[in-house]
Amino acid sequence: MNGVILRWPVPIGTTINAQYYKKVLQDKLRPAIRKRPGLLESGILFHHDNAPVHTARAVTDVLAGYKWELLEHPRYSPDLAPCDFHLFPKMKEHLRGQRFETEEDIIQATKVAIKNLDKCSYVIAFKDWLQRIEKCANNGGCYVE
């Protein structure tokens, strides 16, 4: 709820598989979390969807070792991912109408777009996500907008 912890642009041509995702968790996300005072000590609630990369044994083993609490994501519910209904639309508002010459220009513009999101919007997104999850649970695992 306190904003983006890690913004990691995937290099062009990179295949996102379990080994790549595991390495990002180990080498990028966990160190980024450690930089936030008290975050690890207060306990991590970790959410990602159930894409095969996220549910692969190599990834689940690493996360189990971290002792983070994993929040379940209902099957076939990509519309419940906060990035899809909150972060990406907000970034699109900021980036709309711009043209980019290089990949680095895109990376910098998205960095600015994320940085410009106010802290309150993350709280709203989290509350909206909880309502969406509850609605899905009340509908037997199906989400209806």
Side-chain angles (χ1 to χ4, degrees), residues 22-109:
K22 174 184 163 185
K23 190 150 183 58
V24 170
L25 291 172
Q26 293 172 320
D27 298 349
K28 304 296 179 193
L29 182 59
R30 193 150 193 243
I33 289 172
R34 284 190 172 135
K35 291 179 184 176
R36 297 254 181 123
L39 193 55
L40 273 178
E41 295 77 20
S42 65
I44 301 295
L45 297 175
F46 190 75
H47 175 257
H48 55 194
D49 62 22
N50 29 8
V53 159
H54 299 154
T55 58
R57 175 96 186 196
V59 171
T60 57
D61 287 350
V62 164
L63 292 172
Y66 292 164
K67 296 184 174 48
W68 295 352
E69 183 178 346
L70 299 180
L71 303 174
E72 287 192 40
H73 187 89
R75 298 179 78 107
Y76 313 114
S77 300
D79 48 355
L80 292 176
C83 286
D84 290 337
F85 69 81
H86 173 70
L87 183 62
F88 296 153
K90 295 281 188 187
M91 287 176 56
K92 285 180 184 178
E93 287 174 21
H94 179 80
L95 300 172
R96 187 171 285 120
Q98 296 184 49
R99 300 272 183 230
F100 304 101
E101 297 292 322
T102 66
E103 181 181 347
E104 186 57 34
D105 291 344
I106 297 168
I107 291 169
Q108 289 306 314

Side-chain angles (χ1 to χ4, degrees), residues 6 16 19 21 30-31 38 72 93 107 111 132 136 145:
L6 176 68
I16 309 280
Q19 294 306 329
Y21 187 57
R30 193 150 193 243
E72 287 192 40
E93 287 174 21
I107 291 169
K111 189 177 194 177
R132 288 169 181 246
C136 181
E145 183 67 46

